Amino acid sequence: MSKQASRSCDPRKVNGELFTLTYGALVAQLLRDYEDDEEVNKQLEKMGYNIGVRLIEDFLARTNTGRCNDFRETADIISKMAFKMYLGITPVVSNWSAAGDEFSLLIENNPLIDFVELPDGHNALNYSSLLCGVLRGALEMVQMEVDVKFVQDQLKGDSVTELRLKFVKRLEDAVPVGED
Amino acid sequence: MTIYNLYIFDRNGTCLHYGEWNRKKQSGMSKDEEFKLMYGMLFSVKSFVSRISPTDIKDGFLNFKTNKYKLHLYETASGLKIVINTDLGVGSITDVLHDIYKNIYVEYVVRNPVCDLSQPIESEIFKTKLDEYIRALSIFATRVS
Protein backbone atom coordinates (compact mmCIF):
# COMPACT_ATOMS: atom_id res chain seq x y z
CA MET A 1 0.00 0.00 0.00
CA SER A 2 1.37 3.42 -0.85
CA LYS A 3 2.09 5.89 1.90
CA GLN A 4 -0.62 8.20 0.64
CA ALA A 5 -3.26 5.50 0.74
CA SER A 6 -2.36 4.27 4.21
CA ARG A 7 -2.49 7.83 5.40
CA SER A 8 -6.03 8.38 4.26
CA CYS A 9 -7.07 5.16 6.02
CA ASP A 10 -6.03 6.34 9.43
CA PRO A 11 -8.26 9.19 10.56
CA ARG A 12 -5.72 10.11 13.22
CA LYS A 13 -3.09 11.13 10.72
CA VAL A 14 -3.43 14.69 9.54
CA ASN A 15 -1.56 16.59 6.94
CA GLY A 16 1.70 17.79 8.47
CA GLU A 17 1.30 21.20 6.87
CA LEU A 18 -1.98 21.74 8.65
CA PHE A 19 -0.21 21.15 11.95
CA THR A 20 2.73 23.38 11.02
CA LEU A 21 0.47 26.22 9.96
CA THR A 22 -1.77 25.89 13.00
CA TYR A 23 1.28 26.07 15.21
CA GLY A 24 2.46 29.14 13.31
CA ALA A 25 -0.88 30.84 13.85
CA LEU A 26 -0.63 30.05 17.55
CA VAL A 27 2.82 31.59 17.87
CA ALA A 28 1.76 34.64 15.86
CA GLN A 29 -1.23 35.16 18.13
CA LEU A 30 0.92 34.82 21.27
CA LEU A 31 3.37 37.37 19.89
CA ARG A 32 0.50 39.76 19.39
CA ASP A 33 -0.90 39.09 22.86
CA TYR A 34 2.31 39.35 24.86
CA GLU A 35 4.60 41.47 22.72
CA ASP A 36 7.54 40.02 24.60
CA ASP A 37 9.59 37.11 23.30
CA GLU A 38 10.49 35.72 26.71
CA GLU A 39 6.87 35.67 27.76
CA VAL A 40 5.89 33.92 24.52
CA ASN A 41 8.58 31.28 25.13
CA LYS A 42 7.15 30.75 28.57
CA GLN A 43 3.58 30.42 27.32
CA LEU A 44 4.58 27.99 24.59
CA GLU A 45 6.51 25.93 27.10
CA LYS A 46 3.51 25.86 29.40
CA MET A 47 1.16 24.76 26.62
CA GLY A 48 3.68 22.12 25.62
CA TYR A 49 3.79 20.87 29.19
CA ASN A 50 0.03 20.48 29.27
CA ILE A 51 0.16 18.61 25.97
CA GLY A 52 3.03 16.43 27.19
CA VAL A 53 1.28 15.17 30.30
CA ARG A 54 -1.53 13.83 28.11
CA LEU A 55 0.56 12.82 25.14
CA ILE A 56 2.60 10.44 27.27
CA GLU A 57 -0.50 8.33 27.93
CA ASP A 58 -1.20 8.10 24.23
CA PHE A 59 2.42 7.18 23.60
CA LEU A 60 2.52 4.48 26.27
CA ALA A 61 -0.78 3.02 25.14
CA ARG A 62 0.28 2.83 21.51
CA THR A 63 3.82 1.55 21.98
CA ASN A 64 3.37 -0.48 25.13
CA THR A 65 6.76 0.59 26.48
CA GLY A 66 7.60 0.04 30.11
CA ARG A 67 9.76 2.12 32.38
CA CYS A 68 13.26 2.98 31.27
CA ASN A 69 16.21 1.70 33.26
CA ASP A 70 18.51 4.56 32.43
CA PHE A 71 18.62 7.93 30.74
CA ARG A 72 20.25 6.52 27.60
CA GLU A 73 17.32 4.25 27.00
CA THR A 74 15.05 7.24 27.52
CA ALA A 75 16.98 9.23 24.92
CA ASP A 76 16.67 6.39 22.42
CA ILE A 77 12.95 6.04 22.91
CA ILE A 78 12.40 9.78 22.60
CA SER A 79 14.28 10.12 19.35
CA LYS A 80 13.54 6.81 17.65
CA MET A 81 9.99 6.23 18.76
CA ALA A 82 8.32 9.38 20.03
CA PHE A 83 9.67 11.93 17.56
CA LYS A 84 9.17 9.40 14.77
CA MET A 85 5.60 8.75 15.77
CA TYR A 86 4.44 12.31 16.30
CA LEU A 87 6.61 14.38 13.96
CA GLY A 88 7.93 11.83 11.51
CA ILE A 89 11.57 12.67 12.20
CA THR A 90 14.38 10.98 14.11
CA PRO A 91 16.60 13.52 15.87
CA VAL A 92 20.20 12.55 16.49
CA VAL A 93 21.14 11.92 20.13
CA SER A 94 24.57 13.29 20.91
CA ASN A 95 26.84 15.30 23.18
CA TRP A 96 26.44 13.07 26.23
CA SER A 97 27.82 14.52 29.40
CA ALA A 98 30.42 12.42 31.20
CA ALA A 99 27.98 11.57 33.96
CA GLY A 100 25.38 10.41 31.44
CA ASP A 101 22.75 12.78 32.78
CA GLU A 102 22.67 15.24 29.87
CA PHE A 103 22.31 14.89 26.14
CA SER A 104 21.32 16.87 23.08
CA LEU A 105 18.68 16.19 20.48
CA LEU A 106 19.85 17.47 17.14
CA ILE A 107 16.90 18.18 14.89
CA GLU A 108 17.80 18.81 11.29
CA ASN A 109 14.45 19.18 9.64
CA ASN A 110 12.17 20.55 12.29
CA PRO A 111 8.67 20.30 10.79
CA LEU A 112 7.43 23.15 12.98
CA ILE A 113 9.53 25.70 11.11
CA ASP A 114 8.79 24.64 7.54
CA PHE A 115 7.46 28.01 6.42
CA VAL A 116 8.98 30.29 9.00
CA GLU A 117 11.34 33.20 8.85
CA LEU A 118 11.96 35.11 12.05
CA PRO A 119 11.42 38.82 11.58
CA ASP A 120 14.04 41.21 12.95
CA GLY A 121 13.75 42.04 16.60
CA HIS A 122 12.72 38.59 17.75
CA ASN A 123 16.12 37.24 18.69
CA ALA A 124 14.95 36.01 22.07
CA LEU A 125 12.06 34.00 20.65
CA ASN A 126 12.48 30.22 20.73
CA TYR A 127 9.93 29.50 18.06
CA SER A 128 9.64 25.77 18.80
CA SER A 129 9.53 26.20 22.58
CA LEU A 130 6.45 24.01 22.67
CA LEU A 131 8.71 20.97 22.17
CA CYS A 132 10.59 21.71 25.38
CA GLY A 133 7.36 21.74 27.32
CA VAL A 134 6.08 18.55 25.72
CA LEU A 135 9.29 16.70 26.63
CA ARG A 136 9.30 18.02 30.17
CA GLY A 137 5.62 17.23 30.78
CA ALA A 138 5.78 13.76 29.29
CA LEU A 139 8.92 12.78 31.21
CA GLU A 140 7.54 14.13 34.45
CA MET A 141 4.67 11.67 34.15
CA VAL A 142 7.13 8.80 34.00
CA GLN A 143 8.85 9.93 37.16
CA MET A 144 11.69 11.91 35.62
CA GLU A 145 12.28 15.55 36.31
CA VAL A 146 14.12 16.91 33.32
CA ASP A 147 15.31 20.34 32.30
CA VAL A 148 14.89 21.08 28.59
CA LYS A 149 16.29 24.09 26.82
CA PHE A 150 17.20 25.47 23.43
CA VAL A 151 20.87 25.59 22.58
CA GLN A 152 20.79 26.12 18.84
CA ASP A 153 17.98 27.17 16.54
CA GLN A 154 17.91 26.91 12.76
CA LEU A 155 15.74 29.99 12.68
CA LYS A 156 18.60 31.97 14.15
CA GLY A 157 21.13 30.83 11.59
CA ASP A 158 22.44 27.67 13.26
CA SER A 159 22.80 24.59 11.07
CA VAL A 160 20.62 22.43 13.32
CA THR A 161 18.11 22.90 16.09
CA GLU A 162 19.55 21.57 19.33
CA LEU A 163 17.56 20.78 22.43
CA ARG A 164 19.51 20.04 25.58
CA LEU A 165 17.96 17.63 28.09
CA LYS A 166 19.30 17.49 31.60
CA PHE A 167 18.17 14.87 34.07
CA VAL A 168 17.42 16.57 37.38
CA LYS A 169 16.03 13.83 39.58
CA ARG A 170 13.83 10.81 39.77
CA LEU A 171 10.46 11.59 41.25
CA GLU A 172 9.29 9.13 43.85
CA ASP A 173 6.10 7.11 43.70
CA ALA A 174 3.37 8.57 45.82
CA VAL A 175 3.03 6.84 49.16
CA PRO A 176 -0.53 6.13 50.27
CA VAL A 177 -1.80 8.18 53.16
CA GLY A 178 -0.93 6.82 56.55
CA GLU A 179 2.20 4.96 55.43
CA ASP A 180 5.84 5.88 55.07
CA MET B 1 -16.13 -17.18 34.58
CA THR B 2 -17.02 -13.76 35.65
CA ILE B 3 -15.75 -10.31 36.47
CA TYR B 4 -16.55 -8.90 39.88
CA ASN B 5 -15.28 -5.35 39.90
CA LEU B 6 -12.74 -2.90 38.55
CA TYR B 7 -10.74 -0.06 40.01
CA ILE B 8 -8.67 2.58 38.22
CA PHE B 9 -6.13 4.48 40.31
CA ASP B 10 -3.97 7.39 39.21
CA ARG B 11 -0.32 7.74 40.16
CA ASN B 12 -1.22 9.54 43.37
CA GLY B 13 -3.59 6.88 44.62
CA THR B 14 -6.80 8.68 43.75
CA CYS B 15 -9.46 6.26 42.64
CA LEU B 16 -10.47 7.58 39.23
CA HIS B 17 -13.14 5.04 38.55
CA TYR B 18 -14.88 2.12 40.20
CA GLY B 19 -17.13 -0.33 38.42
CA GLU B 20 -18.97 -3.31 39.78
CA TRP B 21 -20.74 -6.20 38.03
CA ASN B 22 -21.18 -9.46 39.83
CA ARG B 23 -20.01 -8.60 43.30
CA LYS B 24 -22.20 -10.35 45.82
CA LYS B 25 -20.61 -9.24 49.05
CA GLN B 26 -19.64 -5.71 50.01
CA SER B 27 -16.69 -4.85 52.15
CA GLY B 28 -18.75 -3.21 54.86
CA MET B 29 -16.86 0.08 54.75
CA SER B 30 -17.34 3.27 52.81
CA LYS B 31 -16.18 3.20 49.21
CA ASP B 32 -13.57 5.85 49.95
CA GLU B 33 -12.04 3.72 52.65
CA GLU B 34 -12.15 0.65 50.50
CA PHE B 35 -10.26 2.54 47.77
CA LYS B 36 -7.60 3.61 50.23
CA LEU B 37 -7.29 0.11 51.57
CA MET B 38 -7.01 -1.33 48.07
CA TYR B 39 -4.41 1.22 47.00
CA GLY B 40 -2.39 0.74 50.16
CA MET B 41 -2.47 -3.02 49.65
CA LEU B 42 -1.30 -2.71 46.02
CA PHE B 43 1.46 -0.38 47.10
CA SER B 44 2.65 -2.70 49.81
CA VAL B 45 2.46 -5.87 47.73
CA LYS B 46 4.36 -4.14 44.95
CA SER B 47 7.16 -3.14 47.25
CA PHE B 48 7.06 -6.57 48.90
CA VAL B 49 7.34 -8.31 45.53
CA SER B 50 10.26 -6.21 44.37
CA ARG B 51 12.15 -6.69 47.63
CA ILE B 52 11.61 -10.40 47.99
CA SER B 53 12.17 -11.35 44.36
CA PRO B 54 15.36 -13.43 44.06
CA THR B 55 16.07 -12.09 40.56
CA ASP B 56 15.62 -8.80 38.82
CA ILE B 57 12.00 -8.42 37.93
CA LYS B 58 10.56 -6.84 34.85
CA ASP B 59 6.85 -6.74 35.37
CA GLY B 60 6.65 -7.33 39.10
CA PHE B 61 3.28 -7.88 40.63
CA LEU B 62 0.69 -9.00 38.07
CA ASN B 63 -1.96 -10.90 40.00
CA PHE B 64 -2.77 -12.93 43.08
CA LYS B 65 -5.32 -15.60 43.89
CA THR B 66 -7.20 -16.50 46.99
CA ASN B 67 -9.45 -19.52 47.11
CA LYS B 68 -12.42 -17.37 46.08
CA TYR B 69 -11.18 -14.80 43.60
CA LYS B 70 -8.25 -13.57 41.55
CA LEU B 71 -6.98 -9.99 41.44
CA HIS B 72 -5.29 -8.70 38.30
CA LEU B 73 -3.16 -5.57 38.21
CA TYR B 74 -1.94 -3.59 35.22
CA GLU B 75 0.32 -0.62 35.76
CA THR B 76 1.56 1.77 33.09
CA ALA B 77 4.91 3.56 33.15
CA SER B 78 2.97 6.71 34.00
CA GLY B 79 1.68 5.08 37.17
CA LEU B 80 -1.93 4.49 36.17
CA LYS B 81 -3.21 1.30 37.76
CA ILE B 82 -6.09 -0.80 36.55
CA VAL B 83 -7.29 -3.53 38.88
CA ILE B 84 -9.84 -6.20 38.04
CA ASN B 85 -11.18 -8.89 40.32
CA THR B 86 -12.44 -12.04 38.65
CA ASP B 87 -13.26 -15.57 39.67
CA LEU B 88 -10.57 -18.24 39.64
CA GLY B 89 -11.23 -19.58 36.15
CA VAL B 90 -9.73 -16.55 34.46
CA GLY B 91 -6.19 -16.78 33.08
CA SER B 92 -3.92 -13.88 32.29
CA ILE B 93 -5.86 -10.82 31.18
CA THR B 94 -2.98 -8.45 30.55
CA ASP B 95 -4.24 -7.90 27.00
CA VAL B 96 -7.69 -6.99 28.25
CA LEU B 97 -6.25 -4.53 30.76
CA HIS B 98 -4.01 -2.99 28.12
CA ASP B 99 -7.01 -2.67 25.82
CA ILE B 100 -8.97 -0.86 28.51
CA TYR B 101 -6.08 1.54 28.95
CA LYS B 102 -5.50 2.08 25.25
CA ASN B 103 -8.96 2.05 23.77
CA ILE B 104 -11.05 3.39 26.62
CA TYR B 105 -9.01 5.40 29.13
CA VAL B 106 -6.71 7.12 26.64
CA GLU B 107 -9.45 7.49 24.07
CA TYR B 108 -12.22 8.91 26.24
CA VAL B 109 -10.39 10.49 29.17
CA VAL B 110 -6.91 11.59 28.08
CA ARG B 111 -8.17 12.81 24.73
CA ASN B 112 -11.03 14.64 26.35
CA PRO B 113 -9.65 18.04 27.39
CA VAL B 114 -12.53 18.61 29.82
CA CYS B 115 -11.54 15.58 31.89
CA ASP B 116 -9.20 16.46 34.72
CA LEU B 117 -6.66 13.64 34.86
CA SER B 118 -6.29 13.70 38.62
CA GLN B 119 -9.98 13.66 39.57
CA PRO B 120 -12.52 10.84 39.54
CA ILE B 121 -13.78 10.43 35.99
CA GLU B 122 -17.23 11.83 35.39
CA SER B 123 -17.43 11.35 31.65
CA GLU B 124 -20.58 9.37 30.79
CA ILE B 125 -19.19 8.19 27.47
CA PHE B 126 -16.18 6.70 29.26
CA LYS B 127 -18.42 4.85 31.70
CA THR B 128 -20.70 3.58 28.96
CA LYS B 129 -17.85 2.38 26.75
CA LEU B 130 -16.11 0.66 29.64
CA ASP B 131 -19.28 -1.09 30.73
CA GLU B 132 -20.01 -2.23 27.17
CA TYR B 133 -16.46 -3.48 26.76
CA ILE B 134 -16.49 -5.46 29.99
CA ARG B 135 -19.88 -7.01 29.31
CA ALA B 136 -18.78 -8.10 25.84
CA LEU B 137 -15.72 -9.98 27.13
CA SER B 138 -15.83 -13.75 26.92
CA ILE B 139 -14.62 -13.96 30.51
CA PHE B 140 -17.60 -11.91 31.62
CA ALA B 141 -20.08 -14.65 30.72
CA THR B 142 -21.57 -15.78 33.97
CA ARG B 143 -23.99 -18.51 34.80
CA VAL B 144 -27.05 -16.78 36.15
CA SER B 145 -27.51 -17.87 39.71
Side-chain angles (χ1 to χ4, degrees):
Chain A
M1 204 191 289
S2 76
K3 204 177 171 193
Q4 209 64 44
S6 66
R7 187 173 281 178
S8 57
C9 289
D10 188 350
R12 276 189 185 150
K13 289 226 165 113
V14 294
N15 185 335
E17 288 184 6
L18 175 65
F19 169 61
T20 304
L21 293 170
T22 310
Y23 184 70
L26 173 76
V27 179
Q29 184 62 45
L30 284 173
L31 280 169
R32 235 169 284 140
D33 288 352
Y34 290 96
E35 297 173 348
D36 173 39
D37 291 355
E38 290 294 346
E39 192 57 36
V40 173
N41 291 344
K42 219 184 284 169
Q43 291 300 325
L44 284 170
E45 216 266 356
K46 207 158 108 191
M47 287 181 194
Y49 176 85
N50 290 328
I51 294 173
V53 298
R54 286 181 185 255
L55 201 64
I56 185 70
E57 301 284 359
D58 181 78
F59 178 77
L60 294 172
R62 285 213 247 167
T63 58
N64 211 353
T65 33
R67 282 200 185 170
C68 294
N69 296 317
D70 59 23
F71 207 38
R72 286 180 189 267
E73 196 183 337
T74 311
D76 257 13
I77 289 180
I78 291 173
S79 78
K80 297 206 183 95
M81 290 172 81
F83 267 89
K84 183 96 198 112
M85 182 189 279
Y86 294 110
L87 292 175
I89 53 172
T90 312
V92 175
V93 177
S94 74
N95 301 346
W96 278 97
S97 66
D101 63 346
E102 262 186 79
F103 67 90
S104 292
L105 286 173
L106 304 178
I107 307 171
E108 250 178 63
N109 39 358
N110 180 358
L112 289 180
I113 59 168
D114 273 352
F115 315 105
V116 186
E117 217 173 285
L118 274 193
D120 288 340
H122 284 294
N123 288 326
L125 178 70
N126 291 331
Y127 184 86
S128 314
S129 245
L130 189 93
L131 293 179
C132 299
V134 172
L135 288 166
R136 188 171 64 87
L139 290 172
E140 187 178 309
M141 298 315 278
V142 287
Q143 255 65 0
M144 276 182 268
E145 191 179 325
V146 173
D147 202 41
V148 190
K149 57 174 186 281
F150 261 87
V151 185
Q152 297 188 72
D153 192 345
Q154 274 165 304
L155 287 177
K156 294 173 191 163
D158 299 310
S159 60
V160 289
T161 298
E162 176 178 355
L163 296 179
R164 189 91 182 136
L165 280 83
K166 184 180 187 336
F167 180 83
V168 181
K169 66 169 185 229
R170 179 162 282 279
L171 302 162
E172 287 307 317
D173 273 346
V175 178
V177 272
E179 289 191 43
D180 29 40
Chain B
M1 286 195 281
T2 183
I3 292 177
Y4 298 127
N5 57 2
L6 170 150
Y7 304 79
I8 299 177
F9 292 99
D10 78 354
R11 60 210 295 255
N12 299 317
T14 312
C15 186
L16 299 180
H17 180 73
Y18 174 72
E20 188 173 294
W21 291 273
N22 296 311
R23 186 180 182 180
K24 300 256 163 55
K25 181 177 162 292
Q26 295 297 327
S27 58
M29 55 173 71
S30 76
K31 275 283 169 296
D32 265 358
E33 278 188 50
E34 187 187 305
F35 298 156
K36 265 189 223 161
L37 193 64
M38 175 60 89
Y39 188 79
M41 188 276 295
L42 296 173
F43 186 89
S44 308
V45 175
K46 259 179 55 188
S47 93
F48 173 84
V49 166
S50 65
R51 274 163 216 255
I52 297 300
S53 171
T55 52
D56 262 356
I57 44 169
K58 201 170 165 286
D59 292 324
F61 166 36
L62 295 176
N63 56 60
F64 71 69
K65 275 183 189 180
T66 71
N67 50 7
K68 288 288 179 204
Y69 70 96
K70 181 172 176 186
L71 177 144
H72 309 256
L73 168 74
Y74 177 85
E75 185 179 10
T76 69
S78 55
L80 188 91
K81 292 174 191 64
I82 305 177
V83 177
I84 288 188
N85 286 313
T86 66
D87 69 344
L88 295 171
V90 176
S92 164
I93 53 166
T94 310
D95 295 350
V96 168
L97 292 163
H98 180 71
D99 253 16
I100 293 177
Y101 174 55
K102 181 179 182 184
N103 298 328
I104 302 176
Y105 177 75
V106 170
E107 206 63 27
Y108 299 105
V109 178
V110 177
R111 284 169 185 270
N112 180 353
V114 204
C115 278
D116 186 334
L117 296 185
S118 60
Q119 293 300 319
I121 300 162
E122 287 177 3
S123 157
E124 282 305 321
I125 181 156
F126 165 80
K127 291 179 189 171
T128 318
K129 293 283 176 185
L130 181 63
D131 189 62
E132 278 171 9
Y133 177 85
I134 297 278
R135 283 177 194 280
L137 288 170
S138 60
I139 53 168
F140 185 79
T142 177
R143 260 173 287 133
V144 185
S145 52

